[in-house]
Amino acid sequence: MAKDSNVTVVVVPFLAQGHLGPLLHLSRLISSYDIPVHYVSTTTHIRQASSRHQGWDLLAHKNIHVHEFPIPAFHCPAPDPNAKIKFPTQLQPAFEASIHLREPVCKLLNSLSAIARRVVIIHDHIMASVVQDFVSLPNAESYFLQTTGAFFLHSFYWDSMGRPSSADDDMLQQLPSTEGCFSPESMAFWKKQQIHFKNSSGELYNTSRAIEGHSFDLLQKLQVDKKLWAIGPFNPVDIIEKPDQQRHECLKWLDNQASNSVIYVSFGTTTSVSDEQIHAIAVGLENSGQKFIWVLRDADKGDIFTGDVRKSELPMGYEDRILEAGQGLIVRGWAPQLEILAHTSTGGFMSHCGWSSCLESMSMGVPIATWPMHSDQPRNAVLITKVLKLGIVVKDWIPGNDLVESVHIENAVKKLIASKEGDEIRKRAAELRNDMKKSVGEGGVSRLELDSFIDHITR
């Protein structure tokens, strides 16, 4: 569907992987309407987003224009695997440094404003201060993107309103506290962005009514003065397979495994776990007798391309033993998560429950063993296990760095991969995958909402 090419979109993601990737996926969706999209970040974070991009060919989308802006150097400490609070405080200097994007973004907006009928800014809700100068342009408007799900955000607003009585009380009262989910510095940073929210013309959500219709309706009732669109999942639901020489080694290992026989273990880009916990995970996975791929890496630093990376220690001879037995594979660097989840051999995902990971897993029909670490993750885990019934609990949310024993990990893996209960969960996950695929297809609920948004900005 071709739209007015004299409308230009500028996309400004937050400086963390769980934001850079989804907004790049969103750029693809918008550019498919013949609308030019300008994707903007720092030089370092453009390099990060490009190096980790997967699922579709960025170079084939000529309507996506990538802008990388240098900013002053910032120093981020190494991640602390023994920290009691798992929120990635090591990234805070990078978050604060994002304000240096304000001036180059302002110049870009001014130059586009001079040649476009309308400039539409889509920015991460925690990048509102970076785009604030758009208000001086007569033909610019902004929309902020919520990178959390509707279930979490509604519960967050419910907390802030003092937990009033609700028809959803049974579920809301079971929600874990957000104590320990965020750092004081991150909350202060968010509040600095809030003062600019009033200038927004609406909100976009990386979610689908197919999975969060009720929660999204509740959010709309709380925000009657703003238009909301649920247009996710942003990630592709069908993955373009790469030629063999471009495929990651772990995918070739998966090719030789039985259908739904492998559990994929990864705790995302913002969490580091202690050596003691790593040892327990190693023992639990091996003792489960199930096949696994384990992405064993520290959390991202502010600049992922500089400095030393901690190499976590495994039990003596462990890596060779599980590889020789054909039981498992350790990936110590970046892994192509979308491609792993899309593989027919992957039958489960032990996850921190970051929203991007939840969406990717659901859109590929893979059930989740939940192990939340911080931020929105504890409540995302409730959505997965109690509302959608698409997973099992490895660890309930308790603030603090409590060790999960190996036997508990062993039992969780067996339940998800090799039990009747796990098979039933997988069946539900496959049904939801079909619903999500329909939602982004022609006439689906997410596609209709995206069409509505495009009609709105090209009016």
Side-chain angles (χ1 to χ4, degrees):
M1 186 196 312
K3 285 291 180 182
D4 186 348
S5 62
N6 210 18
V7 172
T8 296
V9 171
V10 178
V11 172
V12 187
F14 187 53
L15 307 186
Q17 185 60 39
H19 302 247
L20 292 164
L23 271 82
L24 195 52
H25 290 317
L26 175 60
S27 299
R28 174 186 66 95
L29 295 178
I30 294 171
S31 74
S32 70
Y33 290 81
D34 292 339
I35 295 173
V37 179
H38 298 263
Y39 180 87
V40 175
S41 193
T42 75
T43 302
T44 294
H45 292 93
I46 289 294
R47 184 182 172 197
Q48 176 176 325
S50 301
S51 68
R52 293 176 171 181
H53 176 66
Q54 57 186 309
W56 51 279
D57 184 1
L58 177 59
L59 296 177
H61 290 257
K62 304 302 182 187
N63 235 3
I64 299 177
H65 310 280
V66 176
H67 300 262
E68 52 181 88
F69 295 120
I71 64 171
F74 52 85
H75 173 70
C76 289
D80 180 4
N82 299 307
K84 289 292 183 185
I85 301 296
K86 288 297 182 186
F87 186 88
T89 53
Q90 79 277 1
L91 296 178
Q92 193 65 37
F95 301 163
E96 300 290 347
S98 66
I99 194 60
H100 292 293
L101 284 171
R102 179 182 173 183
E103 184 178 344
V105 166
C106 180
K107 287 180 179 176
L108 176 64
L109 295 178
N110 273 279
S111 65
L112 294 173
S113 173
I115 57 174
R117 179 171 66 85
R118 178 177 296 124
V119 178
V120 174
I121 302 109
I122 300 173
H123 63 91
D124 210 299
H125 74 289
I126 31 183
M127 292 292 273
S129 61
V130 168
V131 304
Q132 60 181 289
D133 299 301
F134 84 89
V135 295
S136 65
L137 300 174
N139 59 341
E141 57 195 36
S142 85
Y143 299 83
F144 70 77
L145 174 71
Q146 294 284 5
T147 48
T148 56
F151 180 80
F152 169 78
L153 201 61
H154 173 254
S155 75
F156 185 81
Y157 289 154
W158 178 72
D159 279 340
S160 67
M161 293 185 295
R163 298 193 163 205
S165 60
S166 161
D168 296 274
D169 264 1
D170 284 350
M171 181 53 62
L172 290 168
Q173 296 294 347
Q174 293 181 56
L175 290 175
S177 165
T178 55
E179 179 190 352
C181 287
F182 302 93
S183 69
E185 295 82 6
S186 68
M187 292 305 293
F189 183 81
W190 178 74
K191 285 178 180 175
K192 283 192 282 188
Q193 311 303 313
Q194 261 190 312
I195 61 174
H196 303 292
F197 289 179
K198 64 183 184 295
N199 298 322
S200 170
S201 296
E203 299 180 17
L204 301 178
Y205 285 78
N206 187 10
T207 192
S208 170
R209 288 182 179 275
I211 52 174
E212 292 197 290
H214 179 61
S215 295
F216 195 73
D217 287 341
L218 293 174
L219 272 179
Q220 284 198 310
K221 288 178 183 176
L222 292 176
Q223 307 211 68
V224 292
D225 58 332
K226 282 205 173 163
K227 177 65 176 164
L228 278 58
W229 290 272
I231 59 177
F234 297 167
N235 61 269
V237 295
D238 292 303
I239 305 302
I240 299 171
E241 188 151 327
K242 295 175 182 173
D244 266 0
Q245 64 270 24
Q246 295 177 22
R247 295 176 81 216
H248 194 280
E249 286 301 314
C250 70
L251 298 172
K252 299 172 186 177
W253 184 86
L254 278 171
D255 291 342
N256 297 316
Q257 312 308 319
S259 177
N260 292 324
S261 66
V262 178
I263 188 160
Y264 167 57
V265 182
S266 175
F267 301 117
T269 57
T270 59
T271 298
S272 299
V273 297
S274 68
D275 288 336
E276 186 181 16
Q277 186 63 79
I278 286 168
H279 189 278
I281 295 169
V283 173
L285 289 173
E286 186 173 24
N287 288 350
S288 75
Q290 305 306 309
K291 301 291 183 78
F292 64 88
I293 288 180
W294 180 9
V295 180
L296 179 56
R297 61 188 297 276
D298 254 4
D300 283 348
K301 299 174 295 178
D303 183 342
I304 65 168
F305 302 103
T306 61
D308 296 330
V309 177
R310 163 184 172 239
K311 184 175 181 181
S312 305
E313 292 300 322
L314 289 165
M316 185 71 72
Y318 181 86
E319 204 161 349
D320 291 337
R321 188 167 66 249
I322 58 127
L323 195 56
E324 286 169 13
Q327 185 187 359
L329 189 66
I330 307 293
V331 178
R332 288 192 177 268
W334 175 254
Q337 180 163 294
L338 261 177
E339 295 170 14
I340 292 170
L341 291 170
H343 200 287
T344 55
S345 296
T346 304
F349 180 13
M350 186 179 292
S351 172
H352 61 302
C353 300
W355 186 238
S356 293
S357 288
C358 289
L359 282 174
E360 290 173 1
S361 199
M362 287 188 282
S363 60
M364 298 304 157
V366 177
I368 301 175
T370 63
W371 189 337
M373 303 286 184
H374 60 78
S375 301
D376 56 338
Q377 299 163 16
R379 293 188 180 183
N380 293 344
V382 171
L383 173 69
I384 294 295
T385 56
K386 294 185 178 178
V387 179
L388 299 174
K389 302 187 186 309
L390 298 175
I392 62 167
V393 176
V394 179
K395 181 181 186 291
D396 278 316
W397 172 247
I398 302 168
N401 194 11
D402 298 324
L403 181 73
V404 180
E405 300 289 349
S406 61
V407 66
H408 193 64
I409 294 162
E410 173 188 343
N411 291 337
V413 173
K414 286 178 179 175
K415 182 189 286 189
L416 192 61
I417 298 297
S419 77
K420 187 175 180 181
E421 182 181 348
D423 291 340
E424 288 299 315
I425 295 170
R426 238 179 318 281
K427 184 179 176 183
R428 286 194 293 273
E431 290 167 355
L432 183 66
R433 166 178 163 72
N434 291 335
D435 291 343
M436 291 180 75
K437 284 190 72 169
K438 287 177 187 173
S439 80
V440 297
E442 199 69 40
V445 287
S446 290
R447 172 68 72 83
L448 290 173
E449 296 241 348
L450 179 56
D451 289 345
S452 166
F453 176 67
I454 298 297
D455 285 342
H456 178 75
I457 64 174
T458 56
R459 64 194 182 281

